[in-house]
Amino acid sequence: MADHLEEWHPGSFTKNFGWGKDGNGLIELHRAIRVGFAGDREDVLRDVFRARLEAKGINFYVPANFFLFNYISEQDSYIAFDELVFQAIEFQHSLDFDRLGLFSFNLSLVGTWKGARSYQRRPALWSNRYIVERLAYYHAWDTNKVDADDIQTFLQGDSRYHAATSRKLSTNLNYLYQIGGLPAMVADQVERWWMNAAFLAADRLSRLKVSRRLTVPSVNEALDEFDFLLLTGGRNVEKTYAIRRLIEMYVAVGGAERFEKSASAIELGISNDPRPYGLIDKKLPRAPKSLPPGVVNTMDWLDASYEHVDQDELDEFDVDVFVREASLRALAQIRANDIRPTMSSEELMQIMRD
């Protein structure tokens, strides 16, 4: 089960990360990830990540302990290259990154490292539960009601919160919600950040063995258990359809191992373009899902259901243009095949009246 009843400890979140100027969103988190991974597209030792950040005067604890995923292998602590890191390394800072970063914080699944306390594996459960229990159910997704006072009221009234004070945490969290774009996070439409968030959640739940198998039912069950849809604005028809399609894609491209598959494809020369590419769901072309190079799946459902775009097209993607051009191609194909109606408009109207 998800750890809803576990004690909440603010930890180092009350320290100043130095988010930068207002209007820059989570650009400092984006920078911290780039500095810490130094362009590497693989997991990095936690000590190496820390040394790189501290050499640049960047607070290590907030990004490493609250946003990224940690694990221990052969007595060494690592930080994983997952969807959040992929988006930071391969793409410039954007509003989509801000939303994804805030989601990562609210998901609050950061693994463990040598010396970590048990509650640190879910370091921001207080934010996770504020979104699910207060914003969703009590405020009915009205983000205008979210402020430091409301957050403090929620924390002070909950026996799970263990700290001497709640004010500093409340003001810091409210500021993070503002610069991360909380209102956009709980919107109804499927957007690019939301698709990336589904992959990020699946990555972490797979690494934690919550999703024990790389199958659609297993991944879907894990996302449900950890409130993915509730953390991103709730369920509707569009999101219900999209999440199923995204999980199918996630499984098809290798799940959390897609980055290793990509590195192998590039090394073996299978991929002739080392840049990320995108897949656009033709049935819901709201936004493309970016993927690492070399993990194109040739299954019939993928080729038939998605359109492949290279990174240049990915960067310039406009859903209105895509839909218009797809419609024109379909009309041209109809004309080329000399497909004509078999009844007149008067006959069609008569059928409808009958």
Side-chain angles (χ1 to χ4, degrees), residues 109-182:
L109 290 172
V110 302
T112 191
W113 56 91
K114 291 177 66 175
R117 298 184 179 182
S118 61
Y119 60 77
Q120 287 183 286
R121 72 186 190 280
R122 309 250 15 226
L125 268 177
W126 25 272
S127 180
N128 178 289
R129 291 297 94 193
Y130 178 82
I131 299 298
V132 172
E133 296 176 11
R134 190 158 181 92
L135 179 57
Y137 289 115
Y138 190 77
H139 293 322
W141 302 113
D142 184 357
T143 56
N144 291 319
K145 296 180 180 178
V146 176
D147 58 25
D149 291 338
D150 189 67
I151 294 170
Q152 187 173 18
T153 298
F154 175 72
L155 296 176
Q156 288 181 334
D158 202 298
S159 62
R160 293 169 290 185
Y161 184 71
H162 291 260
T165 179
S166 58
R167 189 60 189 176
K168 180 66 172 178
L169 176 65
S170 300
T171 56
N172 281 3
L173 182 58
N174 184 55
Y175 184 66
L176 179 62
Y177 286 165
Q178 290 175 6
I179 64 175
L182 182 62

Side-chain angles (χ1 to χ4, degrees), residues 82-127:
D82 63 7
E83 184 70 21
L84 179 63
V85 180
F86 169 66
Q87 294 297 327
I89 296 294
E90 297 290 358
F91 301 95
Q92 296 298 316
H93 172 253
S94 66
L95 294 177
D96 282 321
F97 177 82
D98 292 344
R99 310 309 183 244
L100 180 63
L102 182 55
F103 168 78
S104 175
F105 181 87
N106 287 335
L107 181 64
S108 193
L109 290 172
V110 302
T112 191
W113 56 91
K114 291 177 66 175
R117 298 184 179 182
S118 61
Y119 60 77
Q120 287 183 286
R121 72 186 190 280
R122 309 250 15 226
L125 268 177
W126 25 272
S127 180

Side-chain angles (χ1 to χ4, degrees), residues 37-87:
F37 278 83
D40 294 337
R41 288 160 174 77
E42 60 186 9
D43 301 350
V44 63
L45 284 165
R46 183 176 162 96
D47 287 343
V48 171
F49 185 91
R50 178 174 183 172
R52 288 170 175 169
L53 263 61
E54 292 182 344
K56 296 289 187 179
I58 302 173
N59 180 303
F60 161 76
Y61 294 102
V62 170
N65 292 7
F66 287 90
F67 291 90
L68 298 168
F69 186 84
N70 302 258
Y71 69 94
I72 299 173
S73 177
E74 298 181 356
Q75 304 305 310
D76 288 319
S77 299
Y78 288 85
I79 295 179
F81 188 99
D82 63 7
E83 184 70 21
L84 179 63
V85 180
F86 169 66
Q87 294 297 327

Side-chain angles (χ1 to χ4, degrees), residues 179-198:
I179 64 175
L182 182 62
M185 276 194 61
V186 298
D188 290 336
Q189 288 188 342
V190 168
E191 297 177 332
R192 190 179 300 197
W193 76 265
W194 186 89
M195 301 168 78
N196 297 336

Side-chain angles (χ1 to χ4, degrees), residues 230-241:
L230 277 175
L231 287 170
T232 58
R235 185 183 298 273
N236 60 29
V237 174
E238 183 171 309
K239 289 182 177 180
T240 299
Y241 165 81

